Amino acid sequence: MKYSDGNPDALKKKFWLALDDSPFLFLELDGQSDTSVPMTAQLDKDANSSIWFFTHKHSAFAKLGKVKASFAGKDHDMFARFDGTLAVETSKERFDQFWNNFVEAWYDGGKDDPDILFLRMDLGDAEIWSGDLGLLNTAKMALGMNVHDEAEERHVESVDI
């Protein structure tokens, strides 16, 4: 485990802020790369060990179980790969909390569409990289200089998110 200031929790916090800012990731069933699709993560600031998703009952994710996710921050300043387990979320309050016009656009029947599958991803381990190398390292890259060691210092190999 590496991180330049010796504090992987700071990188973890940066990850959650980046995911909140751009909640799009690739999700796939574990070991089934052909199921990898972009999904919108539904986040709750008080529940930092789960992510929720709306999908359709006929999607591959209806199989539930182990999944992997890949994330790139919108400014390419944060990258993560993490795993977890999908389960059906039965909380009506949680469903209503995350329902909005952007979700509704995917379902002809609105909230009552019989094809809606509301899932919770309970999170496991993550590998997180900070893509923010700073002005000096960006200049080094432009000059073809090696920045490998500096990039490695902004990396956490395994952390619970």
Side-chain angles (χ1 to χ4, degrees), residues 92-112:
K92 176 76 170 130
E93 293 80 17
R94 184 73 69 188
F95 180 96
D96 290 340
Q97 173 187 358
F98 294 131
W99 188 264
N100 59 54
N101 289 342
F102 294 99
V103 174
E104 188 164 354
W106 290 92
Y107 301 96
D108 295 332
K111 277 186 174 182
D112 298 320

Side-chain angles (χ1 to χ4, degrees), residues 114-128:
D115 194 36
I116 295 174
L117 182 59
F118 187 45
L119 300 174
R120 181 186 68 250
M121 179 182 178
D122 297 318
L123 303 177
D125 287 335
E127 190 165 2
I128 304 172

Side-chain angles (χ1 to χ4, degrees), residues 18-66:
L19 186 60
D20 185 51
D21 190 39
S22 181
F24 310 105
L25 52 81
F26 264 89
L27 187 68
E28 70 181 53
L29 293 172
D30 196 22
Q32 299 179 46
S33 61
D34 62 325
T35 64
S36 186
V37 295
M39 298 286 284
T40 302
Q42 308 294 327
L43 305 174
D44 181 337
K45 68 179 178 65
D46 297 321
N48 64 3
S49 61
S50 295
I51 297 173
W52 289 264
F53 300 97
F54 288 94
T55 191
H56 293 87
K57 289 182 178 175
H58 64 271
S59 81
F61 301 118
K63 296 176 187 175
L64 307 176
K66 299 285 185 188

Side-chain angles (χ1 to χ4, degrees), residues 133-151 154:
L133 293 177
L135 187 59
L136 177 60
N137 286 313
T138 301
K140 284 181 176 180
M141 286 189 294
L143 295 171
M145 298 172 70
N146 189 312
V147 295
H148 182 267
D149 291 341
E150 291 88 345
R154 290 169 169 74

